[in-house]
Amino acid sequence: MLSACALLGAAARGAMGAHAQAIRAFANFASQYDYDLVVIGGGSGGLACAKEAVNLGAKVAVLDFVSPSPRGTRWGLGGTCVNVGCIPKKLMHQAALLGEAINDAQAYGWKIASPETIQNDWSALTEAVQNHVKSVNWVTRVDLRDKKIEYVNGLGQFKDANTVIAVMKNGSKKELTADKIVIAVGGRPHYPNVPGALEYAISSDDIFSLDTPPGKTCVVGAGYIGLECAGFLKGLGFDATILVRSVVLRGFDQEMAEKITNEMLDHGVNFQFKCIPKSIEKKANGKLLVTWINTESDTEQQDEFDTVLYATGRYALTKDLNLPAAGVEVVPENGKIDAINEQTNVSNIYAVGDVLQGRPELTPVAIHAGRLLARRMFGNSKQQMDYDNVATTVFSPIEYGCVGLSEDKAIQKYGADAIEVYHSYYKPTEYFIPQRSIKNCFLKTITLKEAPQKVLGLHFVGPHAGEIIQGFAAAMKCNLTMEILMNTVGIHPTVAEEFTRLNITKSSGKDPNPASCCS
């Protein structure tokens, strides 16, 4: 009888043999073309797809070209996340949290020589952030070279369904043919048709490398990008005003959005609700005069700012791809691609990442979808991307992590009588000294009412929300129930344990405030 190790070894050898056989079978599969795969877009999703395809024996080229922002900002290989998104945003958020921690440190006995003189050096911060970004750009280039993926620094445009023309910075052109093509161009910030917006405003494309301190800033838009930018700017010592057209954090749980709004108000961020910008004018003193209209009172208001930052959504970068030449269809309203299982209406052309219609615009989503797509294209895999129950976090001054359905969407899908909501306020140990307000430290679990109460959504507002929600996202994938959650022993004292202590339902009408830290 074979031992368990021998059986595992045989299975591993069999899997390796099948893998090698698949690669050998694929070797001349697309010999009529220059490449087995061409990826248009050097962001997270496109790079993940390209690397996985190479691992499976494919010959791959990646095209990437960054058009400058209206303010002239450019960046290197790696896409939005690395250059002007998740990474620099988190670093700026951390810088703001550290400023808050310096003040808190005094209550813990740390002697700060001159607390009143503590301030952030914007130039030093942006230099440190950009140095890190450039290092990631370089590592990415080296990684492509080591994997023998051809990198073409050119704007990809379709000639036909199997041919892409790369237009270089100097105007020269390079033609590439491929059996399969993946569109992974992502998106860029949207500038509305408001006088002065395009001429004078910046976006998230510009804020992380801004040459001079932003000063008093008007943020137009109350989505997660707008809140995060306003939050870290205020934390770094700059006045911040947010113009809110409709609701804060549209698409997220609105009860949690209210907690974040209240916390940011307490931090000194100014919100102008139901307001839309009318114009931006540059004054003789260099200040920007912003005029906006309150849609409820139908009145006009004005204020002067040093910087205006637009965060009113993003558009897909498909317009310059000449998609009609390949027969690829897009959604007319936003230029996105409606692709079932990442396959467009043209059988050999695929799309991943933010360019997809109706999919979460999140870097890890693009990465995972890109890898799975490569395995289906070149590794005989059948596994499809699961876009349900994807966790995310808003890195506002008090963080908000969530996974699954919001309360409103759960009611819409199942009906109010079919769901139960467990909720609680809590006090983080970190807030004991100094005594900080806990009025917005809140969490809730949305479940089906019927036992064993399958969990439909988890929402957490408080410190380290991103780190906390990640683990519970895995539990959601394993069909977490309230029964399991209530029988999970928490780690004390942590804020993550608050999910295991939930026992008060909204329907009970009981007070969701804790009696003590150990109740």
Side-chain angles (χ1 to χ4, degrees):
M1 180 179 291
L2 290 173
S3 67
C5 288
L7 287 170
L8 286 171
R13 288 191 296 275
M16 291 172 64
H19 178 70
Q21 184 179 8
I23 290 177
R24 286 195 297 272
F26 175 72
N28 296 311
F29 179 69
S31 57
Q32 60 179 312
Y33 301 108
D34 300 328
Y35 301 92
D36 304 312
L37 173 67
V38 165
V39 177
I40 306 175
S44 303
L47 292 174
C49 184
K51 293 174 187 178
E52 191 70 13
V54 164
N55 290 341
L56 294 167
K59 183 180 180 183
V60 180
V62 171
L63 282 67
D64 187 62
F65 184 83
V66 180
S67 299
S69 74
R71 300 279 69 76
T73 306
R74 295 177 181 269
W75 52 87
L77 181 64
T80 297
C81 175
V82 166
N83 293 283
V84 291
C86 319
I87 301 303
K89 175 270 301 290
K90 182 67 182 295
L91 293 173
M92 293 285 197
H93 174 63
Q94 176 65 9
L97 292 181
L98 286 172
E100 195 171 59
I102 290 172
N103 289 318
D104 286 352
Q106 297 174 81
Y108 282 92
W110 288 97
K111 301 300 181 184
I112 311 297
S114 302
E116 64 279 356
T117 65
I118 294 173
Q119 61 181 2
N120 181 264
D121 183 331
W122 177 262
S123 295
L125 172 60
T126 53
E127 182 181 3
V129 168
Q130 290 307 308
N131 284 343
H132 174 71
V133 168
K134 289 182 175 71
S135 72
V136 178
N137 296 151
W138 172 249
V139 169
T140 303
R141 287 285 297 272
V142 171
D143 195 28
L144 292 184
R145 184 189 64 196
D146 291 347
K147 293 182 182 298
K148 295 182 170 52
I149 297 172
E150 182 172 356
Y151 166 57
V152 181
N153 185 203
L155 177 64
Q157 298 177 337
F158 280 93
K159 180 179 178 180
D160 57 49
N162 293 100
T163 309
V164 175
I165 306 296
V167 182
M168 309 302 190
K169 190 183 296 186
N170 62 6
S172 64
K173 296 181 179 181
K174 180 176 181 177
E175 185 171 298
L176 303 89
T177 63
D179 180 59
K180 293 177 174 61
I181 298 172
V182 171
I183 301 167
V185 293
R188 295 289 287 273
H190 170 256
Y191 281 83
N193 187 23
V194 172
L198 199 59
E199 293 84 355
Y200 304 123
I202 66 169
S203 72
S204 55
D205 282 354
D206 312 292
I207 187 65
F208 305 112
S209 58
L210 207 59
D211 290 335
T212 58
K216 182 180 177 181
T217 302
C218 176
V219 176
V220 183
Y224 75 93
I225 294 175
L227 293 192
E228 289 175 339
C229 289
F232 71 65
L233 288 175
K234 183 61 183 176
L236 294 171
F238 305 107
D239 286 343
T241 295
I242 300 176
L243 300 188
V244 185
R245 179 177 63 88
S246 53
V247 298
V248 174
L249 288 179
R250 177 180 294 279
F252 288 85
D253 189 284
Q254 285 302 291
E255 183 177 23
M256 311 309 279
E258 182 182 6
K259 306 298 182 191
I260 295 169
T261 303
N262 289 338
E263 185 75 10
M264 292 184 71
L265 285 167
D266 288 347
H267 273 68
V269 176
N270 177 29
F271 283 79
Q272 293 290 328
F273 296 100
K274 304 299 180 182
C275 290
I276 56 175
K278 181 181 178 182
S279 64
I280 303 172
E281 302 173 50
K282 191 164 188 176
K283 308 296 287 184
N285 61 2
K287 302 284 186 178
L288 299 176
L289 178 65
V290 180
T291 302
W292 62 87
I293 299 172
N294 185 303
T295 56
E296 280 189 333
S297 63
D298 196 28
T299 57
E300 281 191 9
Q301 293 175 271
Q302 289 183 328
D303 200 356
E304 287 188 355
F305 298 91
D306 299 298
T307 301
V308 178
L309 190 154
Y310 259 90
T312 53
R314 300 172 68 84
Y315 67 93
L317 278 172
T318 55
K319 187 177 179 181
D320 296 331
L321 298 181
N322 194 25
L323 291 178
V328 177
E329 298 172 356
V330 299
V331 178
E333 293 78 17
N334 56 22
K336 291 196 172 190
I337 297 171
D338 196 357
I340 299 174
N341 297 327
E342 294 77 54
Q343 187 173 44
T344 72
N345 61 295
V346 179
S347 61
N348 71 302
I349 300 177
Y350 304 80
V352 295
D354 292 2
V355 77
L356 286 174
Q357 171 73 3
R359 300 305 188 192
E361 295 184 9
L362 299 168
T363 295
V365 170
I367 291 172
H368 196 53
R371 287 174 180 160
L372 293 180
L373 175 59
R375 292 169 192 167
R376 294 198 303 275
M377 290 191 293
F378 303 115
N380 296 318
S381 173
K382 303 296 183 186
Q383 184 179 356
Q384 302 290 347
M385 176 66 187
D386 181 4
Y387 289 98
D388 290 333
N389 292 331
V390 174
T392 190
T393 295
V394 179
F395 290 99
S396 42
I398 188 169
E399 296 176 8
Y400 167 35
C402 61
V403 60
L405 298 179
S406 67
E407 186 173 346
D408 291 338
K409 288 182 179 177
I411 292 172
Q412 183 180 351
K413 183 173 182 178
Y414 295 98
D417 293 337
I419 70 165
E420 189 67 89
V421 178
Y422 292 81
H423 65 153
S424 178
Y425 290 92
Y426 66 96
K427 187 167 187 177
T429 305
E430 298 91 330
Y431 286 19
F432 292 171
I433 306 173
Q435 287 291 320
R436 292 172 61 175
S437 171
I438 66 163
K439 68 178 184 179
N440 298 309
C441 291
F442 180 74
L443 73 158
K444 66 180 177 182
T445 299
I446 302 153
T447 76
L448 289 175
K449 189 171 289 186
E450 185 179 351
Q453 294 191 299
K454 180 181 178 180
V455 174
L456 304 175
L458 294 160
H459 300 264
F460 181 94
V461 169
H464 321 298
E467 308 299 333
I468 291 159
I469 211 68
Q470 181 66 81
F472 287 104
M476 285 278 287
K477 287 290 186 185
C478 299
N479 295 314
L480 177 67
T481 66
M482 200 62 198
E483 185 177 293
I484 292 172
L485 198 56
M486 285 179 163
N487 282 289
T488 299
V489 177
I491 302 171
H492 189 67
T494 66
V495 288
E497 73 171 321
E498 298 300 333
F499 272 120
T500 70
R501 298 168 58 187
L502 283 171
N503 59 72
I504 297 172
T505 64
K506 282 191 174 182
S507 61
S508 72
K510 294 180 180 178
D511 183 5
N513 285 288
S516 72
C517 71
C518 300
S519 59

